[in-house]
């Protein structure tokens, strides 16, 4: 899947920016529609990420994008369906 790089605005994200000198503080992997009970196209867009409090989790793109200030998507040219 595609890799989503984000710049967060939480305290941990600010610390990651400062310590790593990177534009990005977090990344997630786009996995698409992995839930069978999804009812809308927006809910079908799912990311997998590692969260400091919750561990590895799947999260809907709509919920994810609201908590970050900048995003970019990386797609490998040779990776196709």
């Amino acid at each position: 899947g595609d890799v989503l790089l984000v710049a967060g605005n939480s305290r941990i994200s600010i610390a990651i920016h400062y310590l790593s000198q990177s534009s990005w503080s977090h990344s997630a992997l786009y996995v698409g529609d992995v839930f069978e009970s999804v009812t809308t196209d927006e809910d079908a867009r799912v990311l997998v990420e590692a969260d400091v409090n919750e561990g590895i989790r799947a999260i809907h793109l709509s919920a994810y994008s609201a908590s970050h200030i900048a995003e970019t998507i990386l797609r490998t040219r040779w990776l196709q369906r």
Side-chain angles (χ1 to χ4, degrees):
D2 297 335
V3 175
L4 179 69
L5 299 175
V6 295
N9 55 6
S10 68
R11 289 191 309 187
I12 189 98
S13 294
I14 292 167
I16 291 170
H17 284 294
Y18 177 76
L19 294 172
S20 69
Q21 297 296 300
S22 174
S23 300
W24 311 111
S25 61
H26 193 67
S27 64
L29 181 64
Y30 177 79
V31 294
D33 180 8
V34 295
F35 298 118
E36 294 178 12
S37 62
V38 172
T39 58
T40 66
D41 286 341
E42 184 64 27
D43 286 340
R45 299 177 191 145
V46 176
L47 301 167
V48 173
E49 69 165 0
D51 182 76
V52 127
N53 296 318
E54 298 181 35
I56 305 298
R57 65 181 181 167
I59 185 167
H60 295 289
L61 180 60
S62 59
Y64 191 83
S65 60
S67 63
H68 298 89
I69 55 175
E71 301 169 349
T72 194
I73 297 172
L74 300 177
R75 177 173 288 163
T76 307
R77 292 180 192 242
W78 52 267
L79 184 61
Q80 297 179 7
R81 283 189 172 195

